[in-house]
Amino acid sequence: KRIKIENNNIIGSLSLKGGLIDDISFKNHKQNLENKKNVEFLNPAETKDGFYAETGWSSINNKIKVPNKDSVWTTVGNNILTENQPVTLEWNNGNGIIFKKVIELDNKFLFKITQQVQNNTSKSIDLYPYAQLTRNKIPDDIQNFYISHEGFIGVFDEELKEDDYDDIEEKKIIRDANEGWLGITDKFWVMALVPAQGENFKSTFLYNNAFKANYILNNPTTINPSSEGSNDIRLFVAAK
């Protein structure tokens, strides 16, 4: 099952399996003058050109059962995501902990994902928020033009870093920062993650059956018994 996404600039959907944002086209940019089809940027994991964003929580030593890419979320209330209507997804781990994602969209290209955890158990829990972009393969139309970088990109504590796909295939690159953003860019389009401001994070660019750009916060969110914790992630899916 999918949830429709649309505003003045983008159209697509998100998958309730995994809570993935994995289907986005640009309404005002066409593939060519003849066919007038929208430029397709994000595609589901099972397609050849799979390119998608996921968000979640990590638990040290898997002590807490957390949702993963195969978890099926349910919607609470509204089931179409537009600039005026956020959607709320919910997943219950069956052990007294309820996970929610509140996904908002502005009138351009920015998603805000608020991850919430309701701890209904009698113990405190520590969880680490993360987000990841996955791309199945190098785009067919990559140009490798020296003044226009295509591949991994990020700003870490005000320092711009650009890494090519073949560099990441050879070795993963890890960076720590207190502020910044990271993503994957094409000549005309970019998808980027922005961690919550002021949070120390570890970013990793790697290849493992697919290209991945991710970050995880270095400090946990501690959620006391009968309490709620949350974390914000911003996701740009944009024409440059």
Side-chain angles (χ1 to χ4, degrees):
K1 170 135 191 239
R2 308 190 71 84
I3 297 295
K4 185 179 179 182
I5 298 170
E6 186 169 13
N7 66 9
N8 291 333
N9 289 280
I10 62 176
I11 187 169
S13 62
L14 65 86
S15 172
L16 287 178
K17 183 180 179 182
L20 308 176
I21 296 175
D22 64 354
D23 168 31
I24 296 290
S25 299
F26 296 120
K27 291 166 72 171
N28 302 317
H29 300 274
K30 305 303 176 183
Q31 293 177 12
N32 56 56
L33 293 174
E34 286 78 46
N35 71 16
K36 295 287 200 301
K37 286 185 178 176
N38 293 339
V39 168
E40 297 174 359
F41 190 43
L42 303 193
N43 294 287
E46 60 272 15
T47 64
K48 176 172 71 82
D49 295 311
F51 191 22
Y52 55 93
E54 64 184 284
T55 63
W57 300 89
S58 180
S59 168
I60 288 182
N61 298 325
N62 297 316
K63 282 197 294 192
I64 307 296
K65 184 181 175 186
V66 296
N68 58 34
K69 247 176 70 175
D70 295 320
S71 302
V72 178
W73 296 70
T74 57
T75 52
V76 180
N78 176 47
N79 60 6
I80 297 177
L81 175 59
T82 69
E83 63 183 272
N84 298 315
Q85 291 185 305
V87 296
T88 299
L89 310 184
E90 185 173 287
W91 184 82
N92 190 324
N93 82 343
N95 297 316
I97 301 171
I98 297 171
F99 294 83
K100 290 184 180 179
K101 297 180 200 265
V102 180
I103 305 173
E104 301 169 67
L105 176 64
D106 72 0
N107 62 357
K108 293 184 177 169
F109 305 104
L110 176 64
F111 294 85
K112 180 186 175 188
I113 302 160
T114 303
Q115 303 198 111
Q116 301 172 344
V117 181
Q118 177 69 43
N119 178 13
N120 295 325
T121 74
S122 58
K123 294 180 179 177
S124 292
I125 58 173
D126 283 345
L127 294 172
Y128 295 80
Y130 76 87
Q132 178 165 267
L133 312 180
T134 301
R135 182 171 231 168
N136 287 356
K137 68 180 190 63
I138 297 172
D140 293 334
D141 59 356
I142 191 167
Q143 297 183 355
N144 285 323
F145 192 50
Y146 70 98
I147 61 167
S148 176
H149 173 68
E150 295 178 68
F152 292 79
I153 190 168
V155 172
F156 304 94
D157 293 334
E158 300 184 0
E159 188 173 354
L160 174 66
K161 296 290 186 182
E162 296 177 331
D163 299 301
D164 294 332
Y165 288 107
D166 51 4
D167 294 335
I168 300 304
E169 273 186 296
E170 288 176 17
K171 64 169 187 176
K172 69 179 177 182
I173 296 178
I174 298 173
R175 299 180 175 99
D176 275 77
N178 290 310
E179 59 180 36
W181 59 268
L182 58 133
I184 298 175
T185 184
D186 293 352
K187 184 177 180 182
F188 298 113
W189 332 106
V190 63
M191 179 156 65
L193 295 165
V194 186
Q197 276 195 317
E199 296 277 9
N200 181 259
F201 65 92
K202 178 175 77 173
S203 157
T204 306
F205 295 162
L206 75 153
Y207 181 81
N208 181 9
N209 299 319
F211 294 95
K212 299 174 189 290
N214 64 44
Y215 79 83
I216 188 167
L217 296 193
N218 284 318
N219 297 311
T221 298
T222 299
I223 307 152
N224 292 322
S226 303
S227 298
E228 191 174 277
S230 68
N231 177 262
D232 289 345
I233 296 162
R234 282 171 172 76
L235 171 72
F236 280 98
V237 183
K240 286 156 76 173

